Amino acid sequence: MGSIWETGVTLPEREPLGKDIQTDVCVIGGGMAGILTAYYLQQKGQDVVVLEAGRVGCGQTKNTTAKITAQHALRYGMLLEKIGPHAARQYAEANRQAIDQFEALIGELGIDCGFSRRPAYLYATQDAAPLQQELEAAKKLGFSAAFTQDTELPFPVAGALRFDNQAQFQPLAFLAAVADKLTVYERTMARAVHENRVETDGGTVTAKAVVMATHYPFINVPGYYFLRMHQERSYVLALQGAPVLHGMYLGVEPDGYSFREYDGLLLFGGSQHRTGENSAGGKYRALQDAASQYYPGARVAAQWPAQDCIPLDGIPYIGQYAEDTQSLYVATGFQKWGMTTSMVAAQLLSEELAGKRPPYADVFSPHRFHLAASAKALWADGKQSVKGLARGFLGLPRGLADDLPSGHGGIVEVEGQKVGVYKDDSGEVFVVSAQCPHLGCQLEWNPDERSWDCPCHGSRFDHTGQLLDNPAMEDLDRA
């Protein structure tokens, strides 16, 4: 079952690139960030081309919970402490403006996408003190916020922090309307970027500027984004027969859940983990068990996963890709807030490429390095990468192919070589390389989604070795 956003929305197919072309700006990636950036650049008079490896909106955009909110978990207390009140206020204002910009654009284009203003709540079931501290930080930064213990949740809470005037919508309905007037080439993967030239299998695009909006950047050097982010997965159930909630909710504790309503369905999310760290499986089952406990009469109408890029210091990277790439720009590291941050990125990049620099550009600059905010995450991500690389060279095979049960996958030894093996329910065996083609980390089998996932940087492949998620750029070798 795919996400509910794909139901009832048909995006027209676009032809792949089949020749060499020139343009002002080439945007790589046809998700929310790429399409919005292209739209606002076009509105400023730029000639823009979008390259999408699959279909418009087929990546992380179709898997979002589609909350448009400036309430980014326990963010603002951390920002005040780590980067100071001036920069924290600019981060807050950029995200508040993004919500207003969504509403303005929807009204301007007359888009029927279920946009509605809603309150957003952070909740805690054990300790409300972090919410009280976040409330004080939010008030300092100009938010209309309040503490409460009165919620619509199916369990008692120690407290909840309410942000007023946030929003939600149907993302693919919105994206279809915005992309309608853009030049988009689908099924056109950007293979390489050489200064102002983007290479694809069907031709090259020569542009004055290139924007990489590919969720996770595929150029390793310069930029070194593989050292500055990791990826996490979480899961969503669309419940039929559950009570309709007016507000949007997110738990701040490790086992917290996400809630929002859409068209009579309750979107219930959770079971978060680092990509490549789900060898035991059971994430959907855990979420389904929780749904049965809280909403015993509800039925699962759909379920799907989401994947998010987590930057070291908790702030997205938006701006010039690296100091020595004058015409290459990036938008990545959106965490769980891809809708709001996509609009922030579109506004910032379209202004910069028009020769202006928004006041909040420095906050999101990819050239920053906040040691105090980044040190803990940098150490954890570094250990994870070393662990993933060491698995490939030092780890022992986990079994023999003959011993693998049907419907399961794992790292096994075949003719003296360590490989990834999956045996389907009929007994057919699929053998692939166990090393991620991105930077060589050993892959892990994800039984929930029957995929090979990289624990270092989050690339994913299906059981046949076909690429699902970047930063890897090619399929696994198959045997």
Side-chain angles (χ1 to χ4, degrees):
M1 292 180 285
S3 78
I4 59 172
W5 312 127
E6 299 171 273
T7 303
V9 176
T10 301
L11 282 82
E13 291 194 34
R14 315 292 186 100
E15 292 297 318
L17 181 65
K19 60 181 179 180
D20 297 342
I21 61 174
Q22 293 185 339
T23 188
D24 291 333
V25 183
C26 177
V27 177
I28 306 174
M32 187 64 71
I35 293 298
L36 280 174
T37 299
Y39 175 82
Y40 284 107
L41 284 167
Q42 185 169 282
Q43 292 297 300
K44 294 180 185 298
Q46 300 280 337
D47 184 26
V48 187
V49 164
V50 179
L51 304 181
E52 167 54 46
R55 298 287 313 284
V56 168
C58 74
Q60 305 311 319
T61 298
K62 70 176 175 56
N63 293 330
T64 177
T65 54
K67 300 174 182 177
I68 310 174
T69 173
Q71 187 192 67
H72 296 175
L74 299 175
R75 180 72 57 219
Y76 294 105
M78 181 276 288
L79 291 179
L80 284 172
E81 178 184 354
K82 303 299 185 182
I83 66 175
H86 178 69
R89 189 169 291 108
Q90 289 182 327
Y91 178 99
E93 186 58 29
N95 281 280
R96 281 195 293 260
Q97 289 179 5
I99 304 172
D100 294 339
Q101 192 63 42
F102 266 111
E103 186 171 33
L105 182 56
I106 289 166
E108 177 184 335
L109 299 182
I111 305 174
D112 181 11
C113 61
F115 179 90
S116 64
R117 292 280 188 167
R118 303 288 180 100
Y121 296 80
L122 299 176
Y123 74 87
T125 59
Q126 303 298 322
D127 182 10
L131 297 177
Q132 295 280 11
Q133 295 167 5
E134 185 71 4
L135 172 62
E136 296 306 312
K139 286 184 173 179
K140 290 178 182 178
L141 298 176
F143 284 99
S144 173
F147 181 83
T148 182
Q149 291 179 314
D150 183 17
T151 74
E152 306 162 278
L153 297 173
F155 44 75
V157 299
L161 172 58
R162 188 186 75 242
F163 276 31
D164 295 323
N165 214 28
Q166 308 303 293
Q168 61 184 39
F169 72 153
Q170 212 285 23
L172 291 190
F174 171 84
L175 198 67
V178 177
D180 183 55
K181 303 300 183 183
L182 298 177
T183 300
V184 182
Y185 294 99
E186 295 184 327
R187 300 182 300 282
T188 303
M189 177 180 281
R191 296 290 184 182
V193 180
H194 300 290
E195 296 183 352
N196 293 57
R197 190 177 75 257
V198 181
E199 296 183 356
T200 79
D201 294 335
T204 63
V205 180
T206 302
K208 297 175 184 176
V210 177
V211 175
M212 188 169 293
T214 57
H215 184 66
Y216 197 116
F218 61 81
I219 298 175
N220 291 324
V221 181
Y224 300 95
Y225 290 94
F226 67 94
L227 295 175
R228 304 163 69 185
M229 294 191 301
H230 71 271
Q231 299 202 65
E232 295 182 358
R233 293 186 75 71
S234 55
Y235 304 86
V236 183
L237 307 179
L239 301 178
Q240 195 170 53
V244 174
L245 305 183
H246 177 67
M248 304 176 291
Y249 294 83
L250 180 67
V252 298
E253 292 149 334
D255 58 350
Y257 298 106
S258 168
F259 302 78
R260 70 151 285 194
E261 172 273 341
Y262 173 72
D263 196 24
L265 297 172
L266 175 65
L267 307 192
F268 178 60
S271 292
Q272 177 178 308
H273 65 89
R274 183 171 177 138
T275 304
E277 294 290 335
N278 187 34
S279 58
K283 298 300 182 180
Y284 278 120
R285 172 52 57 190
L287 204 56
Q288 290 163 1
D289 290 345
S292 296
Q293 176 186 350
Y294 299 133
Y295 305 107
R299 180 184 69 84
V300 177
Q303 62 184 33
W304 66 92
Q307 180 146 305
D308 300 289
C309 293
I310 312 299
L312 289 176
D313 60 2
I315 304 173
Y317 302 115
I318 307 169
Q320 188 177 321
Y321 197 92
E323 291 184 346
D324 55 349
T325 57
Q326 298 299 317
S327 59
L328 181 60
Y329 296 80
V330 69
T332 189
F334 292 179
Q335 303 166 93
K336 311 293 183 181
W337 322 111
M339 298 298 97
T340 321
T341 309
S342 289
M343 182 62 81
V344 172
Q347 297 296 304
L348 193 160
L349 292 174
S350 62
E351 287 288 295
E352 281 207 3
L353 287 167
K356 302 177 182 178
R357 188 167 176 82
Y360 51 84
D362 288 343
V363 176
F364 299 97
S365 171
H367 308 161
R368 72 182 188 272
F369 182 67
H370 301 305
L371 180 60
S374 303
K376 184 177 179 180
L378 180 62
W379 173 248
D381 284 359
K383 286 198 303 181
Q384 188 70 18
S385 293
V386 170
K387 179 181 175 183
L389 287 166
R391 281 172 175 155
F393 297 107
L394 304 176
L396 294 174
R398 309 220 178 102
L400 298 174
D402 290 344
D403 299 329
L404 197 66
S406 295
H408 290 73
I411 306 298
V412 303
E413 184 174 310
V414 177
E415 298 181 355
Q417 182 180 0
K418 195 158 46 168
V419 293
V421 176
Y422 169 69
K423 185 183 292 186
D424 70 14
D425 294 332
S426 69
E428 184 177 358
V429 174
F430 299 84
V431 183
V432 299
S433 169
Q435 281 191 317
C436 180
H438 175 230
L439 288 175
C441 292
Q442 182 172 298
L443 301 171
E444 290 288 334
W445 179 248
N446 179 350
D448 284 335
E449 299 174 86
R450 299 193 177 189
S451 62
W452 296 103
D453 299 354
C454 177
C456 295
H457 309 111
S459 299
R460 298 180 58 253
F461 310 83
D462 71 12
H463 69 277
T464 70
Q466 184 174 344
L467 179 66
L468 296 174
D469 288 305
N470 57 342
M473 294 291 290
E474 56 191 271
D475 297 340
L476 298 177
D477 289 337
R478 308 172 191 175

